[in-house]
Amino acid sequence: MRGQPNLALARRRARAVLATLDIPVPWSLTAFLDSIERQRGRRILLVPSTMSRYAAVASGLWISRGDEDLIVYDATASPLHRQNTVFHELAHMLLGHRGRPLSGGTQGDQPPLMMHRQHYEDQLELEAETLAYEMWRAVGQRLLTRRGTAGRLAAAFEAPPGVRHA
């Protein structure tokens, strides 16, 4: 998609997809992936890799091949960043985005497809980020822990018990 990204469209698409997902209670990424595998009829494999030296290119990517999907994520990243990468790549799958054929891939009728971020400002990336955010909200994960400086800073901006934000 070309042109100015449309946040309203991304939100509508994210909510529609989220409504079709079975969010396990209590939360389990494994159970969530199992549910998505059943829904899509395709196996999903998480593949840790050392990607930090390629951070300018990608921190994660999705490879669709045959009857399975691979989500490659940076094994050196924090647990929070790894899970966010998984959510982002799952979002691409669930939104029906398509990657580009891998050159030198396996032989057969359909070469593996790979999707990774090329532009932060394009519609597909906005949609994937929006759905990943909605997945975080749905599973009740906190983006920041209470430990360390970041946690104390986040707590400082939260309302005291009984006070609601408008």
Side-chain angles (χ1 to χ4, degrees):
M1 291 184 177
R2 299 272 181 193
Q4 189 67 21
N6 184 329
L7 182 58
L9 174 62
R11 286 180 175 152
R12 281 193 306 276
R13 294 202 67 211
R15 288 185 199 120
V17 169
L18 191 64
T20 70
L21 301 179
D22 180 21
I23 308 292
V25 178
W27 169 249
S28 161
L29 179 60
T30 302
F32 187 54
L33 290 172
D34 289 345
S35 164
I36 293 172
E37 285 178 336
R38 284 190 303 276
Q39 179 183 353
R40 296 183 71 238
R42 296 174 58 84
R43 192 166 73 156
I44 299 171
L45 300 172
L46 300 183
V47 181
S49 180
T50 304
M51 300 179 74
S52 58
R53 66 179 176 219
Y54 305 111
V57 177
S59 60
L61 51 96
W62 161 39
I63 300 172
S64 174
R65 64 179 194 191
D67 60 352
E68 66 184 7
D69 293 298
L70 300 149
I71 295 177
V72 182
Y73 64 89
D74 188 354
T76 67
S78 70
L80 177 67
H81 189 247
R82 289 192 306 258
Q83 185 155 330
N84 193 67
T85 298
V86 170
F87 279 4
H88 178 92
E89 301 307 332
L90 284 172
H92 279 303
M93 290 178 208
L94 294 166
L95 288 160
H97 298 166
R98 292 193 38 94
R100 295 184 174 186
L102 278 172
S103 60
T106 60
Q107 294 185 355
D109 296 337
Q110 178 66 32
L113 301 176
M114 179 182 71
M115 181 160 222
H116 69 88
R117 180 178 293 119
Q118 292 184 329
H119 307 286
Y120 283 97
E121 66 274 358
D122 75 16
Q123 185 68 29
L124 299 182
E125 289 304 318
L126 178 62
E127 289 177 4
E129 283 297 318
T130 302
L131 180 52
Y133 171 77
E134 292 297 335
M135 283 191 264
W136 273 110
R137 288 186 56 196
V139 302
Q141 295 289 332
R142 299 194 59 93
L143 295 178
L144 297 172
T145 67
R146 292 290 173 220
R147 295 179 299 218
T149 305
R152 289 190 303 276
L153 182 61
F157 286 98
E158 291 182 352
V163 175
R164 294 179 189 225
H165 290 289

